[in-house]
Amino acid sequence: MFEELENINQRPEPFQYYTASDLWTDEHTSKQMLSYHLNGDIDVSSRNAEFIKRSVEWIAAQFNIGKDTRIADFGCGPGLYATALAKHGAQVTGIDFSRSSIDYAKEVAAREQLDINYLNQNYLEFEPEEQFDLVVMIMCDFCVLSPTQRKMLLSKFHNMLKPGGSVLLDVNSLSAFEQREESATYELNQLNGFWSPNKYYGFVNTFKYDEEKVILDKYTIIEPERTREVYNWFQHFTPEDLENEFVAAGFSIKGLYSDVAGSAYDQKSSEFAVISRKA
């Protein structure tokens, strides 16, 4: 028992483990995540409905979205942004490796007669044959990736964008990093049964990496037949750090905002958004 508790509370190296698929492809947890996506009153998995409406209107105006605009939505979830952008006339491709979310998105597209190309796959493995005018990656998805994964993804963005094409994404800020503290908690059926329909014990360890500006929420889920570990990494950025990564990949920063609805940049904001353009 002591050795098991030692393992649970052991601090890994930053981005040592990548377990995103365990969260998004597990049948039970993916359905839980979908329910969060579809709750328009909260900011979990997706932004609240009012924010998304305001955000889409700003994106449509900012990028002059119309019938000839080709958009790739990385981590599209159940298609909340993809659906709204398609209604503005855009040709949208949505990529997500949650089967539950993609199935829901396809049902909505069919019901509303929208021609949206949804792909159920890991966006790190997406290799498009066409080129796009705009790539969007919303809800700080960029932050869960390791430096190596981010470098590879930015290279992919550069290759798949038309000349002058843009990327819009949001990230966690240094202000948010400073507000987090390390902790360790334990609870029966932690998160009200989020991790399993059966009885389980959930341990949550939050580790803070000051030098790398990374937060890890490590979940250890212990059931009678198995023990799972899920690692949720969150890279935090300054605008300068993020710009350096984009410039190294052949982009230039064209706009800095507090969110993907175009709010004026505030360094105290817990997140910020950037528009970058293929150089």
Side-chain angles (χ1 to χ4, degrees):
M1 176 68 75
F2 183 82
E3 290 183 1
E4 291 176 359
L5 290 173
E6 284 282 280
N7 289 333
I8 288 172
N9 290 280
Q10 186 175 12
R11 176 190 296 266
E13 292 298 314
F15 296 103
Q16 183 176 352
Y17 302 104
Y18 180 67
T19 61
S21 62
D22 295 339
L23 175 63
W24 292 101
T25 62
D26 177 86
E27 182 177 358
H28 178 78
T29 57
S30 66
K31 290 179 179 178
Q32 299 292 307
M33 295 299 287
L34 178 59
S35 69
Y36 287 144
H37 274 300
L38 301 180
N39 187 338
D41 297 325
I42 59 176
D43 288 315
V44 178
S45 297
S46 297
R47 305 290 182 211
N48 65 76
E50 187 280 329
F51 178 88
I52 292 176
K53 181 179 179 181
R54 182 160 50 90
S55 175
V56 168
E57 293 303 317
W58 177 76
I59 293 170
Q62 186 73 26
F63 297 99
N64 194 27
I65 302 299
K67 63 181 180 65
D68 295 324
T69 308
R70 304 188 72 89
I71 301 174
D73 185 357
F74 276 61
C76 66
L80 302 181
Y81 272 88
T83 298
L85 291 168
K87 288 181 178 180
H88 279 273
Q91 302 173 51
V92 184
T93 295
I95 312 102
D96 200 288
F97 61 5
S98 169
R99 168 60 67 182
S100 297
S101 291
I102 289 294
D103 286 347
Y104 177 89
K106 287 181 176 180
E107 290 174 4
V108 172
R111 183 170 65 246
E112 302 200 15
Q113 297 183 331
L114 296 171
D115 186 17
I116 303 174
N117 180 27
Y118 284 117
L119 302 174
N120 180 214
Q121 68 176 109
N122 187 335
Y123 53 56
L124 294 175
E125 300 169 357
F126 176 52
E127 296 295 342
E129 297 180 358
E130 58 187 318
Q131 286 197 303
F132 296 85
D133 301 287
L134 174 65
V135 171
V136 297
M137 192 177 195
I138 294 173
M139 204 65 182
C140 298
D141 253 30
F142 194 66
C143 299
V144 307
L145 304 175
S146 70
T148 299
Q149 290 172 321
R150 296 197 303 268
K151 182 177 180 180
M152 182 270 289
L153 191 65
L154 289 178
S155 176
K156 187 187 297 290
F157 288 170
H158 195 274
N159 291 336
M160 63 188 281
L161 282 170
K162 298 176 183 178
S166 299
V167 176
L168 170 67
L169 57 76
D170 52 1
V171 296
N172 298 314
S173 70
L174 200 57
S175 176
F177 178 80
E178 292 168 349
Q179 295 173 29
R180 295 293 304 272
E181 299 293 339
E182 292 199 341
S183 63
T185 60
Y186 153 79
E187 187 179 358
L188 175 64
N189 294 336
Q190 193 260 341
L191 288 177
N192 298 315
F194 174 85
W195 295 105
S196 174
N198 306 312
K199 183 178 180 179
Y200 65 90
Y201 293 91
F203 292 80
V204 186
N205 295 83
T206 296
F207 298 104
K208 191 171 183 177
Y209 302 80
D210 289 312
E211 182 177 352
E212 295 85 359
K213 300 299 183 287
V214 170
I215 296 291
L216 166 63
D217 290 330
K218 175 188 175 185
Y219 297 88
T220 306
I221 303 97
I222 301 175
E223 301 177 78
E225 294 82 17
R226 62 173 178 168
T227 295
R228 290 178 288 158
E229 293 178 335
V230 176
Y231 296 80
N232 282 350
W233 301 97
F234 302 98
Q235 179 73 61
H236 294 69
F237 293 89
T238 66
E240 294 76 19
D241 290 337
L242 188 60
E243 182 174 12
N244 288 339
E245 292 197 12
F246 271 95
V247 169
F251 290 90
S252 59
I253 300 297
K254 295 301 180 183
L256 183 65
Y257 310 90
S258 279
D259 55 38
V260 290
S263 300
Y265 175 70
D266 181 352
Q267 64 178 1
K268 295 181 181 179
S269 176
S270 61
E271 301 166 358
F272 65 91
V274 295
I275 294 175
S276 62
R277 188 165 298 161
K278 181 176 178 177

